[in-house]
Amino acid sequence: MAEKPTPGGETHQSTNRRKDSLTTNQGIVVSDNQNSLKAGARGPTLLEDFVLREKITHFDHERIPERVVHARGYGARGFFEPIQSHADLTSAEFLQDPTVQTPVFVRFSTVAGSAGSADTVRDVRGFAIKFYTSAGNYDLVGNNIPVFFIQDAIKFPDLVHAVKPAPDRAFPQAQSAHDSFWDFASLTPESTHMLFWAMSDRGIPRSFRMMDGFGVHTFRMINAKGKVSLVKFHLRPKLGALSLVWEEAVCLAGADPDFHRRDLWNSLARGDFPEWELSVQAFTEEEAEQFDFDVLDPTKIVPEEVIPLRPLGRLVLNENVDNFFAETEQIAFCPANLVPGIDLSDDPLLQGRLFSYLDTQLTRLGGPNFHQLPVNRARCPVANFQRDGHMQMNTPVGAVAHEPNSLDAGAPRENPRSGFRTSPQPVQGEKVRVRSETFADHYSQARMFYRSLLPMEQQHLIAAFAFELGKCHEPALRKRMLGRLALVEQEVAEQVAQKLGMPDGIEQLEPAIAARDLAPSPAVSQYANAPLGLAGKLIGLLVTDGIDAELYESLLEKAAAEEARVSVVALTIGDVMTSREEILTPEHFLSGAPSALFDVIVVAPSAENASLLLEYPPAAQWVRDAFAHLKVIGIVESAKELLELAGAPAEGAGIVPIRDATDWDALLNVAGNSHRVWERELARS
Ligand code: HDE
């Protein structure tokens, strides 16, 4: 692998050395990379073979520990651009000037799974952003769900141990659907609100590009005059926050475990750049005191209906990494990486995180100098007296490494004017290990969340609880969890109990504070708020030899106008001949590309070859899945029989006959007017 030249330059360039010569790490040109050094052609390998030993030794040490949580992640580069100056709110330099773009690196992740687990499992997603600002690095290390499972950092190891594979058998991988997780959850009332979010469609996003982000905790922003605002961070994707359906997520975990990362990589590679609006809900301490919950409690949201979002600017991803390990794996986020103008709150979950990230990174990245790695390096001057340590990559000069000093007039000095100053706030009280009583209402917001969802979103949530609890073998914990659900909403507990086949299994539990009926917050529903249209979506087009060239080309054109893409699927991966005798190269072959990969499907064989699809079982499966996954299906006349084979009606919601190119408008309209054919699902349940 080519490396950028290291500082220090080259000395003598040997005349008989080619520029592209393979070398050892010492720069010695390698003459033979196929054979180790042996005593005779059939003899033993010699210990003196430094080329072999160096190569194998380096290989032996290629792995570093994976992140203890959020191990499976995927990153990209981009920029942030404020829409206007936010000087009234904060003095943060990157939020002042709409003409200044700040480079960013974003890493998305699942929480529970190992680095090699599947992308589409039910889980919370990490959404971590490093802003390389002119005033130093600012990290917003958030999730795609605005609340969390626990209120105090001391519970984090228990939560993570409960969801991770059991220590004796090392399974299940990347799953919350097992006894230990639900044991912990059912014994931890504060997790209830988050469980409702995690069991909603939010737990199975369609794409990283279609995912919300949240800072979760309350933070503070301080302007140049010292005025403090409390803030909650939000990121809204331009394409809308959309999700998979559960059966589709399960299918994709096998068919394409890299579904989300592939989607992001491909979209950046073709110049289709995802974008989010970063905003804050900003409010005063006085306003916070009026809320019926505590803003320091990370299991609560501030409803948008109470404090609306204030857009700050746009976050755009526009560049894939050059090297996954060097960038995505080695990047180190930390909620304590703050810039002047942004400050922390006393949220006890946040306070524990401030310690944890640097601590874990010391082990994961092997020492205290990981901030010098290119992906972590600040893009502004860094000057201090820290020194030495594992893998020091800089060469500091001079004899002085202390401060104050009178020996080096050019040494860096503290700067009270522009330096980071914690905005003062009064703190007093006894040292106590207690949970604030203001954190005690665990059910009202969960009820508000559930009641604010659309009916199909509610049904998905109920199905998810039933699935997860159904995977638990211990009846007592199922009952306890049903009791917890009943404290939120009796109807949820009853329907889940029904689906579990244990209608009398709801345990009677006593809440610390019984759920109250809060005003609904329609903003929490994904589908009530996602923009309609086909932007960012993928149409799977199943073809055979003889596909009508005109039909094909007009679909490409119409889809492009809607910012959607068409992906051609054929019986085999070999070239297909169109009706015009032109070659069409498919992107996929049928048995390798289940319809779960696409948002909309079209079955368009030529009339003479339609029978090939009818005779090939994966074709009917393709349609059956798409129908079950609530997709719009376009179908040409000659393939109609396939609908019957797939158990789908020839007519009905979301089935669009394609007679000629004029029918594409109908297909795209139906598909663009709703993200899924929800009627089909409601008719089923
Ligand atoms: Fe994290 N979390 N976390 N977390 N977290 C880590 O840091 C931790 C929490 C989040 O792409 C670790 O470098 C504690 C909330 C993201 O590299 C670790 C607590 C939120 C990422 C850690 C929390 C997050 C992490 C693992 C409870 C949403 C991935 C490796 C007090 C606001 C960042 C690492 C990336 C990663 C600790 C809770 C988001 C162990 C102790 C709440 C997005 O330090």
Side-chain angles (χ1 to χ4, degrees), residues 146-163:
V147 287
F148 203 63
F149 294 101
I150 48 171
Q151 296 173 321
D152 191 307
I154 200 164
K155 296 312 299 165
F156 193 63
D158 297 297
L159 165 72
V160 174
H161 289 173
V163 74

Side-chain angles (χ1 to χ4, degrees), residues 42-96:
R42 298 178 59 246
T45 301
L46 298 177
L47 188 59
E48 78 170 64
D49 187 351
F50 59 86
V51 180
L52 169 75
R53 276 191 291 112
E54 182 202 78
K55 186 174 172 184
I56 298 278
T57 306
H58 196 278
F59 169 78
D60 290 345
H61 298 269
E62 274 175 7
R63 292 289 170 272
I64 60 171
E66 66 172 34
R67 287 166 175 79
V68 57
V69 282
H70 296 267
R72 182 163 180 84
Y74 210 63
R77 302 184 211 126
F79 64 86
F80 172 79
E81 192 176 62
I83 47 170
Q84 62 183 68
S85 167
H86 298 286
D88 60 315
L89 191 62
T90 172
S91 59
E93 257 181 45
F94 75 107
L95 290 169
Q96 304 302 311

